[in-house]
Amino acid sequence: MCKGLFSLLILFLFYTNVQAQSEYNFSEEENINAKIADVQLNTSDGGMMLSNLYNTSPILVALVFSRCTGICSPFLLQLSDNIRTLNSKEKFKVLVVSFDPIDSLSDLEDMDNRLGLNKKGQWTFATTKQIDALNSSVGFRPIWDSLRKQFDHDALLVGINENGYIAKKLTGLRGISDLKMMIQSIHNEFIPSYPLPRKNNLLSCFTYDPATGKRKPSIGLLILVLPVVLTFGLILWLAIRSKKWRRATNNHLAD
Amino acid sequence: MSAQSLKKTTATWIIVIMTLFITAIIFGILMRLNQGNDYKMSSPGFYATMTTHGLTMIAIWSVAGMVAINYLLTRYIKVPNSLSVFALVFTVIGAAMLWYATFVGQFHAGWTFLYPLPLVKIAWAKWATPLFFFSLVVLGVGWLVWSVGLLVQILKKYSLKQAFAWQHLSKKEPEVKTPPLILISTVSLIGIILSLIVAVILLALTFAEYYSGGAFVNDSLLMKNLIYFFGHTIANESLYLGLAALYELMPEVSSRPKFKTTWYVALAWNCTMVFILTAFFHHLYMDFVQPLGLQMVGQLASYFASLPAAGVTAFSVFVLVFRNHIKWSLTNVLFFIGIMGWLIGGVGALIDATISNNVALHNTLWVPAHFHTYNAMGNVLFCLAFFYWVANEFSGSQTKTKAQQLKTALLLIGGFGFVLMFYLAGADSVPRRFSNYPAEFKSAPLMATLGAVFATIYLIAILLIFIEILRKCVKAFSAS
């Protein structure tokens, strides 16, 4: 009895854990196609508006802070590695902006030297006094943790096209394929997309699990087969019935 | 059923179909003139006209083939006239509802209604959306009852195997011989019934979403599959009904022996029945979420569905006319030109249905080019041939008229000139469904204007033929 209850409890915990894992966060869809705030930046090349950067070429905006002991360094290092591996022929720049108000430009330059990111001059490091406006325009919400003296935040990369519109957002450490799609997006290339199944969408053709990326046939495809089955059934029924009709006709003729 | 009531119903059908046809051609000419900047239509007006033109043409030429086989099947089986009358009433009511929805309610989502467009951000009267869909229900019910009724009548005389002519596959001279008319009618009727059942499911899902107030939303991919499963299948099956009339009448009016069902004719039409059901996947090449396997099925089925039927029909007609003394009348001239139009349009369709070509031709004017070729210069001519022949039957004369060569010349110049402008524009990447062309498409307005001129020549030919048919059809009502 106790063993059974224990098994049920384990199963329940496992199920809720799976459920939690498969929940999809829609933050990447937030503010897509909205214009990024045209804030004043402080860079090593002097003060400039953000629009000065995206007007010359599309940009990838990475939001970090120099005191970060968490995701920031791995995030920037992986981004740098992916850009190098991808070796895209498309023209774009990477803008790293600190969202920590106490960061100075030299703090960011130290970070760059430490990580060795800007070898080809493709990267720009900047601080801004209008960080709240910038954060709000891209849907980024860092939370200050006074105990750890750290920001609790996502690793967010925002793709901006030449008109200053947010073309794509990537949260977390992402692979090369996602970066490639982002670069295509900021160059206004068509990226296929398909609405995810919703609760009120009962007859979708496929189910898609964003956690695993797997796509499975769903009940919608059966609906496509239904008319064939119904017609086949109708014809079969008529064929069976028609034997009687023909027999009746023949008997009638014989009489 | 009395022969007289059959004649009256057939004559009524012909007058209704021809009147709607001529009006729909005028709509088409106006649209091409608007695209050529020769005539001004508002954008909603253009798209409402396009919706009416498309659906009216599909509707009338689907039932035209039904009218033909309904009349010709009486040579082999009993056909109750009530079925045809029922469908006629429903077609007239459905067409009136459709025209009201498009011209008064300004519904303008196209004949394939581009789901989910009619259900979101409606740019026309709110009531026009349900009215449009209910008009499809009325049309569909009328045709479904008629199709099932005709199939039942065939099966009352022929077993299913005989109706499919399977006995011809194993024996050269089977005991029961299936006439080609029975074989092609059976194959086509089953396809039409299937496509109408698809329409029932499609409309049920559409109404469920429309009336659920957001509680139920359809899957776009499923809806697009269903729309083309219905639309592509019914358009093709209707054309096969026209071919059924050709198999029955062309040798007869040419004073040649009747076409017989052979093993290869039986095999070809059975293949067509199976493969046509999956050819519609070629409409979804641009839908990347559709599995690649289905896209490949779409391309292969497009070839397998059309080549066998086209091959045996073209071969049969070639054998019929090659080095034979043919008594040419407008009936077999129309059948002959119709075969040419069907084959040319079919090749155009296969070019577009090949995935590597579709990348360039998708949603260009190549699409209306090929479907106008096998409809306006194919199916329409098959059915017109039947109309002309049956009108002569009503008047009791099969005489050759003086203006026959003029009508033929106008049809050839007008019809092929009209579709040529579509092909040239399509090959030049001019997009379809544009009410006005951006300045980048320099050649498009000129080709639209020329298309309108050729279509007007085609219209004159159709008017001349209609006047003659009408004069003779009236006799069906006056004869005792």
Side-chain angles (χ1 to χ4, degrees):
Chain A
M1 175 77 177
C2 282
K3 214 174 175 179
L5 281 173
F6 183 70
S7 305
L8 275 175
L9 184 67
I10 293 288
L11 262 175
F12 174 72
L13 288 174
F14 177 75
Y15 177 75
T16 47
N17 188 32
V18 167
Q19 286 279 83
Q21 276 180 5
S22 63
E23 269 177 22
Y24 180 73
N25 184 347
F26 286 91
S27 65
E28 284 188 5
E29 275 75 40
E30 195 183 334
N31 292 14
I32 290 289
N33 294 327
K35 204 152 190 175
I36 193 168
D38 188 14
V39 296
Q40 173 77 38
L41 297 173
N42 179 28
T43 73
S44 50
D45 296 330
M48 65 171 76
M49 298 303 287
L50 182 58
S51 55
N52 295 135
L53 274 176
Y54 63 68
N55 280 342
T56 52
S57 70
I59 53 172
L60 304 183
V61 180
L63 290 154
V64 295
F65 67 109
S66 66
R67 291 181 288 161
C68 181
T69 55
I71 193 82
C72 301
S73 296
F75 169 53
L76 292 178
L77 280 169
Q78 196 193 30
L79 178 62
S80 168
D81 275 354
N82 285 345
I83 290 172
R84 202 178 311 119
T85 310
L86 192 59
N87 197 20
S88 171
K89 288 174 184 167
E90 303 278 13
K91 192 181 161 196
F92 66 94
K93 284 186 175 167
V94 183
L95 172 66
V96 180
V97 185
S98 169
F99 57 84
D100 187 348
I102 64 165
D103 261 342
S104 66
L105 192 58
S106 60
D107 290 333
L108 288 181
E109 282 168 351
D110 287 347
M111 191 179 187
D112 172 30
N113 292 332
R114 205 167 61 241
L115 299 175
L117 300 169
N118 195 17
K119 286 171 187 165
K120 287 187 182 173
Q122 191 181 17
W123 295 56
T124 302
F125 292 83
T127 58
T128 177
K129 288 178 181 169
Q130 297 168 278
I131 190 63
D132 289 342
L134 184 68
N135 285 346
S136 162
S137 69
V138 297
F140 183 62
R141 297 180 195 87
I143 299 163
W144 177 249
D145 183 343
S146 54
L147 280 175
R148 292 193 299 125
K149 306 284 184 205
Q150 286 285 304
F151 283 100
D152 187 5
H153 69 102
D154 285 329
L156 179 66
L157 188 68
V158 187
I160 311 293
N161 70 14
E162 277 187 324
N163 299 317
Y165 287 95
I166 299 169
K168 193 167 176 66
K169 288 165 65 177
L170 293 176
T171 309
L173 300 178
R174 304 291 280 267
I176 288 179
S177 58
D178 287 340
L179 180 68
K180 188 180 173 188
M181 260 200 283
M182 176 171 263
I183 293 169
Q184 285 175 307
S185 294
I186 59 177
H187 287 91
N188 303 319
E189 284 178 40
F190 173 69
I191 304 292
S193 67
Y194 185 67
L196 286 165
R198 290 147 286 172
K199 278 181 185 172
N200 56 358
N201 189 341
L202 305 174
L203 303 170
S204 68
C205 289
F206 300 100
T207 49
Y208 173 72
D209 185 352
T212 60
K214 282 188 179 168
R215 192 174 59 169
K216 286 181 192 163
S218 189
I219 195 165
L221 285 179
L222 284 178
I223 301 287
L224 268 184
V225 185
L226 186 63
V228 180
V229 175
L230 288 175
T231 310
F232 184 75
L234 176 71
I235 304 301
L236 208 65
W237 181 76
L238 287 176
I240 294 164
R241 291 279 305 190
S242 67
K243 281 182 188 170
K244 284 182 187 171
W245 298 333
R246 284 195 300 280
R247 212 176 297 137
T249 312
N250 290 340
N251 291 341
H252 181 69
L253 288 173
D255 292 343
Chain B
M1 175 188 52
S2 77
Q4 199 52 42
S5 56
L6 175 68
K7 283 182 180 176
K8 282 181 184 171
T9 314
T10 307
T12 312
W13 265 118
I14 291 171
I15 293 165
V16 169
I17 288 169
M18 290 302 289
T19 308
L20 287 172
F21 182 44
I22 287 162
T23 319
I25 294 176
I26 294 168
F27 292 159
I29 292 170
L30 291 178
M31 284 191 288
R32 289 303 265 160
L33 286 173
N34 180 68
Q35 290 171 323
N37 303 322
D38 308 301
Y39 173 74
K40 184 76 191 145
M41 293 169 99
S42 66
S43 286
F46 176 90
Y47 289 109
T49 309
M50 189 186 81
T51 307
T52 318
H53 170 86
L55 203 51
T56 304
M57 289 294 198
I58 282 287
I60 59 176
W61 295 109
S62 296
V63 287
M66 294 284 287
V67 173
I69 66 156
N70 186 80
Y71 190 88
L72 294 170
L73 279 174
T74 54
R75 293 174 165 193
Y76 304 98
I77 57 169
K78 284 183 182 173
V79 180
N81 193 44
S82 53
L83 284 173
S84 180
V85 173
F86 178 82
L88 176 62
V89 171
F90 271 63
T91 302
V92 171
I93 295 170
M97 288 166 70
L98 166 72
W99 282 40
Y100 198 80
T102 52
F103 286 131
V104 181
Q106 288 282 295
F107 180 91
H108 55 269
W111 89 269
T112 49
F113 57 88
L114 307 174
Y115 175 88
L117 181 61
L119 306 178
V120 292
K121 292 183 182 171
I122 297 170
W124 48 78
K126 205 177 170 189
W127 53 263
T129 298
L131 185 64
F132 173 82
F133 287 116
F134 277 114
S135 76
L136 299 187
V137 171
V138 173
L139 291 168
V141 167
W143 303 344
L144 186 59
V145 170
W146 197 9
S147 306
V148 173
L150 285 178
L151 190 64
V152 165
Q153 295 306 317
I154 290 173
L155 293 176
K156 278 184 178 175
K157 183 167 177 189
Y158 298 91
S159 70
L160 194 62
K161 282 181 184 174
Q162 290 165 350
F164 284 140
W166 287 349
Q167 76 278 21
H168 289 272
L169 295 173
S170 53
K171 287 180 186 168
K172 201 172 179 184
E173 287 294 328
E175 207 173 299
V176 177
K177 291 185 175 105
T178 307
L181 179 73
I182 295 290
L183 166 65
I184 304 171
S185 298
T186 306
V187 164
S188 310
L189 286 171
I190 289 174
I192 289 174
I193 291 167
L194 173 59
S195 65
L196 291 172
I197 290 175
V198 176
V200 169
I201 294 171
L202 176 64
L203 289 169
L205 290 175
T206 307
F207 282 126
E209 180 170 345
Y210 186 77
Y211 289 112
S212 73
F216 171 73
V217 176
N218 279 297
D219 181 77
S220 302
L221 186 66
L222 174 64
M223 294 302 272
K224 191 168 177 189
N225 270 293
L226 287 172
I227 287 169
Y228 285 103
F229 197 173
F230 157 69
H232 181 270
T233 310
I234 200 164
N236 278 268
E237 300 291 358
S238 311
L239 198 148
Y240 298 151
L241 292 177
L243 283 167
L246 177 146
Y247 271 76
E248 182 67 17
L249 291 178
M250 193 171 177
E252 188 178 309
V253 295
S254 307
S255 304
R256 301 293 305 157
K258 289 192 91 155
F259 285 145
K260 286 178 184 168
T261 302
T262 54
W263 69 267
Y264 53 86
V265 170
L267 183 65
W269 283 100
N270 276 273
C271 282
T272 295
M273 180 180 69
V274 174
F275 289 117
I276 198 68
L277 302 182
T278 47
F280 77 90
F281 288 130
H282 64 219
H283 285 274
L284 288 100
Y285 286 156
M286 293 293 154
D287 294 78
F288 58 90
V289 267
Q290 184 94 330
L292 184 64
L294 293 184
Q295 312 286 35
M296 289 157 77
V297 166
Q299 176 168 326
L300 293 173
S302 303
Y303 281 84
F304 292 145
S306 53
L307 292 180
V312 295
T313 308
F315 176 71
S316 304
V317 171
F318 177 75
V319 169
L320 181 87
V321 299
F322 186 65
R323 291 187 176 172
N324 281 321
H325 179 71
I326 300 291
K327 192 180 157 191
W328 288 103
S329 67
L330 193 60
T331 305
N332 49 14
V333 165
L334 288 172
F335 275 134
F336 192 78
I337 301 171
I339 286 286
M340 283 165 49
W342 176 45
L343 293 178
I344 295 168
V347 171
L350 285 183
I351 289 172
D352 194 26
T354 306
I355 294 173
S356 53
N357 300 330
N358 191 268
V359 172
L361 296 173
H362 193 90
N363 267 346
T364 66
L365 282 177
W366 190 273
V367 183
H370 78 68
F371 69 65
H372 276 94
T373 314
Y374 61 65
N375 281 317
M377 293 307 285
N379 191 26
V380 169
L381 302 194
F382 298 148
C383 296
L384 271 185
F386 165 76
F387 290 174
Y388 190 77
W389 172 85
V390 85
N392 283 335
E393 288 270 298
F394 297 158
S395 69
S397 71
Q398 289 282 351
T399 51
K400 192 174 170 180
T401 56
K402 283 179 190 170
Q404 188 175 305
Q405 284 170 335
L406 173 70
K407 287 170 198 161
T408 310
L410 288 173
L411 259 185
L412 281 169
I413 296 167
F416 284 118
F418 163 64
V419 293
L420 181 66
M421 292 306 115
F422 272 144
Y423 279 114
L424 292 175
D428 200 23
S429 297
V430 176
R432 68 190 287 209
R433 294 187 185 133
F434 269 47
S435 59
N436 294 99
Y437 296 112
E440 286 79 6
F441 296 104
K442 291 190 176 74
S443 63
L446 175 65
M447 281 190 269
T449 304
L450 289 174
V453 171
F454 282 118
T456 308
I457 298 171
Y458 178 83
L459 175 64
I460 293 167
I462 295 294
L463 278 169
L464 291 174
I465 294 170
F466 179 48
I467 290 165
E468 192 176 343
I469 289 174
L470 182 66
R471 212 159 23 86
K472 291 175 178 175
C473 274
V474 172
K475 292 183 181 171
F477 298 101
S478 56
S480 59

